[in-house]
Amino acid sequence: MKDEKAFSSIDLVGQCLIDEPRSLAFEKAIKKIVKPEHTVLDAGTGSGIMALFAARSGAKKVYALEFDKYVAKTALADFKDNNFKNKITLLRGDAKIFTFSKDLYFDVVVMEMLTTGMVDEFQVQAINNLHRQKVVNENTIFIPKLQETYLALAETRFNIYGFLIKMVKHLWNNLSQNQKVKMLSDRVLISSVDFSKHNNEDFSVILKIKVKRNGTFNSIYLSSVCFLTDNYKIKDTETLNSPVVVPLEEDINVKKGKYIKIKISYKYGGGYENLKVKIILK
Ligand SMILES: C[S@@+](CC[C@H](N)C(=O)[O-])C[C@H]1O[C@@H](n2cnc3c(N)ncnc32)[C@H](O)[C@@H]1O
């Protein structure tokens, strides 16, 4: 069977656009960083909002890259409607492999293809491609600059409407009030992805975590924060970096004071189907 896309591409893009805390935080960072002499790349431009922010902040030139045909058409219309069609050039293609013109260099890269722990989107690969193509260097400023991801042992109630449904849950603020998650440990930093660098595309870590409360360890709780600039941090918003619970295959009764040793591994952008949690010691 052909790997068809299951969802409309435009609805997430539209939700991102109207997520004001997220969008305005990016605008603040863009305004602070972008200077009149700068050439800016907005990769995964969606509605084009980040490219528009960069143009309005006075960038000399902005390139907006998008692989989805319909989304790209919408962004192009936005650039025209806002009289930025000369300043912003739309590029169509996959940021992981896109071939840029040899004479291009980006002073600033804005990239909001972000997900918690970078499990579900290809931002790491897209940035590696920019380094491979030498269109960025150590002077290029990346917005965001860094993503930190934290993990906690958790007990999650997977019963819903009288059924047991053990699936990955994104705990969006406005939907998660009834989702019961009991933290069984502190949150432990598991990764700091520096978006200004070339990164390994596989992630793996072994952790020894102290249990803080008695309970049934049946899931891991992942959460992320992004540093848009060196000292400007954004936590989760409605569409960015939502906490996620990932169910385990087994339920493990744990006691306060004990240690659990686990291995987490996944490929950035590979989705939750490729995330493995191995219990090494219980
Ligand atoms: C989370 S949305 C964000 C849109 C916009 N940057 C914003 O901040 O509102 C991510 C966008 O990146 C695009 N995208 C995802 N992967 C991509 C890739 N490999 N190459 C180009 N665009 C991509 C999606 O189609 C979508 O429009």
Side-chain angles (χ1 to χ4, degrees):
M1 199 176 86
K2 215 173 130 231
D3 202 6
E4 299 285 359
K5 215 165 41 168
F7 293 100
S8 152
S9 43
I10 204 80
D11 67 351
L12 174 65
V13 166
Q15 286 173 44
C16 289
L17 178 69
I18 63 173
D19 180 352
E20 287 190 7
R22 180 207 74 116
S23 302
L24 294 175
F26 270 86
E27 184 183 27
K28 197 168 158 190
I30 290 167
K31 262 188 181 161
K32 197 168 156 207
I33 298 294
V34 169
K35 302 281 176 286
E37 64 276 18
H38 283 165
T39 299
V40 178
L41 171 68
D42 172 23
T45 198
S47 60
I49 188 60
M50 302 296 167
L52 288 165
F53 283 151
R56 188 164 69 185
S57 299
K60 182 174 73 185
K61 179 78 197 164
V62 182
Y63 291 86
L65 174 60
E66 174 59 50
F67 73 172
D68 186 284
K69 201 169 155 192
Y70 177 51
V71 173
K73 205 173 143 197
T74 311
L76 193 59
D78 297 341
F79 303 150
K80 282 193 185 131
D81 287 344
N82 291 284
N83 299 321
F84 280 122
K85 83 173 182 348
N86 294 329
K87 194 178 259 196
I88 309 176
T89 296
L90 184 82
L91 307 171
R92 271 287 321 284
D94 181 345
K96 303 196 289 301
I97 51 169
F98 190 79
T99 307
F100 292 91
S101 147
K102 290 262 173 297
D103 53 356
L104 271 181
Y105 166 74
F106 301 116
D107 303 282
V108 179
V109 173
V110 185
M111 208 183 281
E112 206 288 57
M113 291 165 30
L114 295 162
T115 52
T116 312
M118 293 321 303
V119 177
D120 253 346
E121 288 218 54
F122 290 106
Q123 181 137 337
V124 166
Q125 286 84 346
I127 287 170
N128 287 350
N129 183 41
L130 299 178
H131 285 285
R132 264 195 312 274
Q133 306 243 349
K134 300 192 169 51
V135 287
V136 294
N137 65 19
E138 65 284 359
N139 297 319
T140 301
I141 303 170
F142 287 79
I143 303 173
K145 185 176 188 313
L146 191 93
Q147 185 195 52
E148 285 182 349
T149 298
Y150 295 81
L151 178 147
L153 310 179
E155 176 180 324
T156 304
R157 195 167 59 86
F158 289 105
N159 293 78
I160 190 159
Y161 314 122
F163 298 105
L164 174 68
I165 300 189
K166 266 194 161 190
M167 65 181 287
V168 173
K169 289 199 273 193
H170 282 70
L171 304 177
W172 303 116
N173 290 333
N174 64 350
L175 291 176
S176 61
Q177 276 86 11
N178 295 328
Q179 303 304 310
K180 300 266 181 296
V181 183
K182 177 172 148 188
M183 297 297 176
L184 301 175
S185 74
D186 289 339
R187 293 180 201 199
V188 180
L189 179 68
I190 61 165
S191 73
S192 289
V193 180
D194 182 342
F195 291 124
S196 66
K197 303 229 160 70
H198 185 285
N199 286 283
N200 190 331
E201 296 173 11
D202 292 306
F203 170 74
S204 172
V205 66
I206 292 178
L207 305 156
K208 197 173 165 196
I209 305 179
K210 189 170 186 179
V211 176
K212 282 285 175 84
R213 293 166 82 185
N214 295 345
T216 306
F217 169 39
N218 67 355
S219 49
I220 57 165
Y221 179 97
L222 295 174
S223 56
S224 292
V225 295
C226 283
F227 287 81
L228 295 185
T229 64
D230 282 335
N231 43 24
Y232 184 28
K233 189 157 95 172
I234 179 170
K235 286 193 176 169
D236 55 299
T237 69
E238 287 302 335
T239 67
L240 179 71
N241 287 337
S242 77
V244 176
V245 280
V246 182
L248 303 181
E249 279 171 17
E250 56 176 326
D251 291 0
I252 304 166
N253 287 322
V254 291
K255 290 252 174 305
K256 184 177 170 186
K258 287 266 185 195
Y259 282 88
I260 295 281
K261 198 169 174 187
I262 55 176
K263 180 178 178 187
I264 314 288
S265 53
Y266 58 90
K267 190 174 187 59
Y268 290 123
Y272 283 91
E273 62 270 35
N274 94 108
L275 184 146
K276 305 263 179 308
V277 183
K278 190 173 166 207
I279 314 290
I280 301 172
L281 185 78
K282 48 186 169 181

